[in-house]
Amino acid sequence: MSFVIAIDGPAASGKGTLARRLAAHYSLPHLDTGLLYRATACALLEEGLRLDDVESAVAAARSLSLTDFDEKRLRARDMGEAASVVAAMPAVRAALVDMQRGFAARPEGAVLDGRDIGTVICPDAKVKIFVTAAPETRATRRALELARAGEEADYTAILEDVKKRDARDSARSAAPLKAAADAVTLDTSDLDIEEAFAAARGIVEKAR
Ligand code: C5P
């Protein structure tokens, strides 16, 4: 397999920022796979459909074009929650596999981040990093991020959200959130972004 960096971890662990920074550093294309699930949920909600409508969710996932969606809307808090509902459906996950693997198969390599990149989408990735942080740290980061974006950011509600999403993502039977056996775990609880980026680069250099 070409130079694929698989980054997984729970909500607001810092995996997205690390994935973006690593992609820029190594001049690789980057796919934030969470956006695929967010966009699938968004497509259903915009059409007034239920999130547990499997048939419509699969159809939406199959015909997905990320450029059709406003990224700010996709990244809103309620969409993360909605995404985790559609992401628990095996048929939705199956509908998104080829697109993700196609992205990973680019000749120059790629960086993908999500929940199941190292375990399901790219089990042969050269580098696998599992990014974690304490739920309280993640909630604080997410609150800051939302406040900066001008969104409502109540810490207690966000912490509850983070814990609920962790539980749903970890407990589902289809591709649950877990580190691949050969992933290196990077706990960013006590690291700032520069320290986390340096640690991630160190993991990549060692594995490539
Ligand atoms: O990473 P992000 O918060 O954008 O992901 C939103 C939701 O999409 C997650 O809570 C998870 O349920 C789902 N997801 C997934 N597999 C991925 C990426 C995201 O199940 N590879």
Side-chain angles (χ1 to χ4, degrees), residues 109-126:
V111 180
L112 286 85
D113 74 276
R115 301 289 185 292
D116 63 339
I117 308 304
T119 50
V120 175
I121 303 296
C122 303
D124 299 327
K126 213 162 233 165

Side-chain angles (χ1 to χ4, degrees), residues 7-12 15-16 32-38 74-75 79-88 93 100 113-117 121 142 165-166 168-169 172 174-177:
I7 304 189
D8 292 301
K15 65 182 188 315
D32 170 353
T33 64
L35 284 180
L36 305 176
Y37 296 92
R38 286 171 183 260
L74 292 187
R75 293 201 185 279
M79 213 47 84
E81 178 63 24
S84 81
V85 175
V86 299
R93 307 198 68 83
Q100 295 174 81
D113 74 276
R115 301 289 185 292
D116 63 339
I117 308 304
I121 303 296
R142 189 44 57 93
R165 205 126 71 82
D166 280 2
R168 189 182 287 132
D169 289 349
R172 71 183 178 214
L177 169 68

